[in-house]
Amino acid sequence: MSSWTLPQPMKRALELAEASAAAGEVPVGAVITRGGEVIAEAHNAPRERHDPTAHAEVLAIRRAAEALGQERLTDCELWVTLEPCAMCAGAIVHARIGKLYYGANDPKGGAVEHGARVFEQEQCLHKPEVYAGIGEAKAAELLREFFRERR
Amino acid sequence: MSSWTLPQPMKRALELAEASAAAGEVPVGAVITRGGEVIAEAHNAPRERHDPTAHAEVLAIRRAAEALGQERLTDCELWVTLEPCAMCAGAIVHARIGKLYYGANDPKGGAVEHGARVFEQEQCLHKPEVYAGIGEAKAAELLREFFRERR
């Protein structure tokens, strides 16, 4: 029996989530690819950077747009270990990310399948293709460990 | 007869919106105050900065948090000329902005009174006090002019 292997960008996003926890930040990692190539990556860093907008997705989107010299990331894929919040889902819309792959779902803070459901709004200008649950066991385990240690 | 005068931070936000239009960006301006003092200001700049997250509110929040050396802006007020989108409303939640004052409403992209209604979600961790319609005539006029010239 062979087991399904995680796509490389999600493996990398999980490594970034681990680095995030090691830095005392909520463990979330994100990678942006285009045509199989990594364009940008980031982990969560609001504390370190004193920046409430410094979620992994926002940082990765800003880095990818800077690297490509354009504000739209139409042909890009975003891989992130946790369901994006409203801020990050909004940033994904503005960046015109083509495909979104995420790990664990987030009933408390997520805004894709939960709460604000940003992509499902009638006014939403751009809906990425969404693939959920990729690497979710590991992503959720990292989050559980992080919050258990801090209780 | 004396007419009601706009609060100074909203006057400044409208000047920033005009500067935004002059720079070829959608005219939106934002100012963050604390105890009557201006902490940060910004205009919309996604094109100039090649950054899809560079809305006036996000830039002002990032600058205020940097200036104060903390990721939370609990005692701060945000003044912005247009109803915030989902991304910016999410950033306002993460920053714990105390009071939000905005000008024109935005049925197409707004996420306070429209669409994702971020602050009204049950999961929303922080709801600012919201005051809408301050300076809305001027804010809306700037937007209409901008889009009329580009048609």
Side-chain angles (χ1 to χ4, degrees):
Chain A
M1 188 183 93
S2 65
S3 64
W4 186 67
T5 311
L6 273 183
Q8 184 55 37
M10 189 57 88
K11 278 190 198 168
R12 179 65 189 142
L14 286 163
E15 284 172 10
L16 290 159
E18 290 193 86
S20 195
E25 306 273 2
V26 175
V28 181
V31 170
I32 292 177
T33 53
R34 190 174 67 167
E37 192 195 346
V38 173
I39 306 290
E41 54 177 48
H43 69 67
N44 223 19
R47 283 166 205 173
E48 178 197 328
R49 301 171 72 101
H50 299 143
D51 179 356
T53 73
H55 282 193
E57 301 95 309
V58 163
L59 290 174
I61 285 172
R62 291 179 52 212
R63 287 172 189 166
E66 194 182 352
L68 298 177
Q70 57 190 47
E71 59 160 322
R72 294 197 172 170
L73 304 173
T74 313
D75 300 327
C76 295
E77 302 88 38
L78 172 63
W79 306 76
V80 57
T81 56
L82 184 65
E83 180 184 351
C85 72
M87 176 180 74
C88 293
I92 287 165
V93 172
H94 295 311
R96 307 289 195 269
I97 292 279
K99 294 178 185 174
L100 166 65
Y101 300 86
Y102 69 84
N105 68 10
D106 184 5
K108 285 188 187 168
V112 176
E113 295 177 78
H114 302 93
R117 290 178 172 78
V118 171
F119 307 137
E120 289 176 30
Q121 300 303 322
E122 206 181 323
Q123 61 171 197
C124 185
L125 286 171
H126 170 83
K127 294 170 209 283
E129 290 177 35
V130 178
Y131 303 90
I134 300 157
E136 71 178 318
K138 177 70 176 167
E141 185 199 323
L142 287 172
L143 286 157
R144 271 195 307 272
E145 262 176 33
F146 181 82
F147 288 111
R148 191 189 306 128
E149 282 169 14
R150 265 149 197 82
R151 230 171 255 145
Chain B
M1 186 184 95
S2 64
S3 65
W4 185 68
T5 311
L6 274 184
Q8 184 54 38
M10 190 56 89
K11 279 190 195 164
R12 180 63 189 144
L14 286 163
E15 285 173 9
L16 290 159
E18 290 193 86
S20 195
E25 305 274 1
V26 174
V28 181
V31 170
I32 292 177
T33 55
R34 191 175 65 168
E37 192 196 344
V38 173
I39 306 288
E41 53 177 48
H43 70 65
N44 223 17
R47 282 165 205 173
E48 178 196 329
R49 300 171 73 101
H50 298 143
D51 179 355
T53 74
H55 282 194
E57 302 94 309
V58 163
L59 290 175
I61 285 171
R62 291 178 52 212
R63 287 172 189 166
E66 194 181 351
L68 298 177
Q70 57 190 48
E71 59 159 323
R72 293 197 173 171
L73 305 173
T74 312
D75 300 327
C76 296
E77 302 88 37
L78 172 63
W79 306 76
V80 58
T81 57
L82 185 66
E83 180 184 350
C85 71
M87 176 181 73
C88 293
I92 287 165
V93 172
H94 295 311
R96 308 290 194 268
I97 292 278
K99 294 177 185 175
L100 166 65
Y101 301 87
Y102 67 85
N105 68 12
D106 184 6
K108 284 188 186 170
V112 177
E113 296 177 77
H114 302 93
R117 290 179 171 76
V118 171
F119 307 138
E120 290 175 29
Q121 300 303 322
E122 206 182 323
Q123 61 172 195
C124 184
L125 285 173
H126 170 83
K127 294 169 209 283
E129 290 177 36
V130 179
Y131 304 90
I134 301 158
E136 71 177 319
K138 177 69 176 170
E141 186 199 324
L142 288 172
L143 286 156
R144 272 195 308 271
E145 263 176 33
F146 181 83
F147 288 111
R148 192 189 303 127
E149 283 168 13
R150 265 151 195 82
R151 231 171 254 144

